[in-house]
Structure formats: C-alpha cells, structure tokens
Amino acid sequence: EAEIITALYKGIELLKKEEEAASTSDSPTMQTDQDKVARILELKGGHPENIALQTFDQQYYDQLSQEDKTRFLKCLNSGIQNPDSIMGCYACQPDDYDVFKPFFRSALEKYHKVDLSKTKHTNNWSLSGVAGLPADGILDLTKLGLPPLSMRVRTGRNLKKFPLPGSMTKDDRVAMETAMGKVFDTLISKPEFGGRYVSITPGHPNEITRDEYDKLVKDHIMFKDMSADKYLLAAGIAEHWPHGRGCY
C-alpha cells in the first residue's frame, strides 16, 4: 500500500512538472537521423530517468541498416522530443520488439526493474493459498455491506493487418474502426451484451455531439482528447485525432 501511495504522489508530481514544461518547451525540430542521434547524446547525461535515452547504444545503432536506423529512431521519438519522459519509447510495428529486441529487452528490464534472463512472467489467476479471503473463495462485496460496484479493466489489442498506432495513417485508423464495426454490431445484437457504438470520427454514421463526448469522458467511459498529450503526439499515437476513434 505504501508503494501505491508513493507511486500516486510521484505521478501527481510528474504531471505538475509536465504542465509547467509544456508552456516553455522549445524542443528543436529534427529533420534527419543524424540530428536525432546528436540530440539523444546531448540529452542523455541530463535525463537519467528517461529510459529510451539511457538505453540507446551508439554501437548497436551503428550496426543497423539505414532503413532500420530510421525505423528504430521513430520508436524513440517521444523520448527525444520530451526529455522528461520516463519510458520514452513505443513500438510502431508489431515486429519491432523482435527486430530491435536488444534495445526493447533492456528498456523493459529498466522499466520493470527485473533481469529477464532470470525472471519470466507466468499468468496465475488462482486464488488458492491467498490469505484473508472468504472460506468459500467467493469475493461477494454485498457480504461486506457494500452495494454492487463496477470496475473498468483496461486492455490493449491490435489487429494483425494494421501497423501499431504510432505508424498508422489516417486511412488506417478509419479502416480499423470500420472493421471493428462488424464486431460491435454482433455484440449489440446479442441480448446478453447489447449496448451501442459511438464514434467521434467526423461523418461517421454513429458520430456523437461534443456534449455527448464530454459526458462520456466525464463518466470515464470515453478516452480524453489524445491530441492534447504531447507524449502520444510525438510518438505518432495521437495523430489524426479524432479520426478512427470511438467507444463501444
């Protein structure tokens, strides 16, 4: 619990710093790979918490092909443009984790503070042996005198035929929303699911008004305006907002 409270405090502190930095940011516009590498080396010493910068290895970079150098630096763009980043790197293609495995492996080890040569995650949803649970193993909050509660589980998934968000074009985003529409229609047709799909893509048949969007954001159902996030913008993830975005 103490670790959670500490993490929350540090997160609030970081958000405050980010807000202050946003109004004074003077990140240079970088046109070439050489410019980006020079910027990384310039920033590296002064930003020890930026994992992307700290994981960058000149020797590893130099042995990449020119095409892969450009592709690799795209993954680091958010951390380069925003030196106050903690992670600062995003895979832009599904196989980036394999193509640039030495980099991403090292970055993930730094972020999670583990040695992946010794540690391997194993999914285990069993509650057996967990202390303090009801004898019948049923976590029924009504027995605690609480009303029914809801919770949101956040997951991220991608469709194989599309690149990851950082490399998607506007057409990719709209096409992916269209492809997912068939899935949502199937869910909506089932009585046990129902619901509706709403879109913020201009001209979409299910496009909602600004007031409806704001209410869904306030209710923590729809995500906030991603184009206001400088980290996601630099990573390419928030480009073409609001095209291709919606909520089931």
Side-chain angles (χ1 to χ4, degrees), residues 34 63 71 77 86 88 111 116 126 129 136 161 172 182 228:
Q34 290 80 3
Q63 58 87 33
R71 177 177 165 182
N77 200 52
I86 299 300
Y111 184 78
L116 291 177
S126 173
D136 59 8
K161 68 178 180 178
D172 283 334
K182 299 176 183 178

Side-chain angles (χ1 to χ4, degrees), residues 137-158:
I138 300 175
L139 307 181
D140 185 353
L141 296 179
T142 61
K143 292 181 179 180
L144 302 178
L146 296 172
L149 302 177
S150 65
M151 65 180 292
R152 178 176 61 176
V153 178
R154 179 178 177 179
T155 62
R157 293 292 182 269
N158 302 285

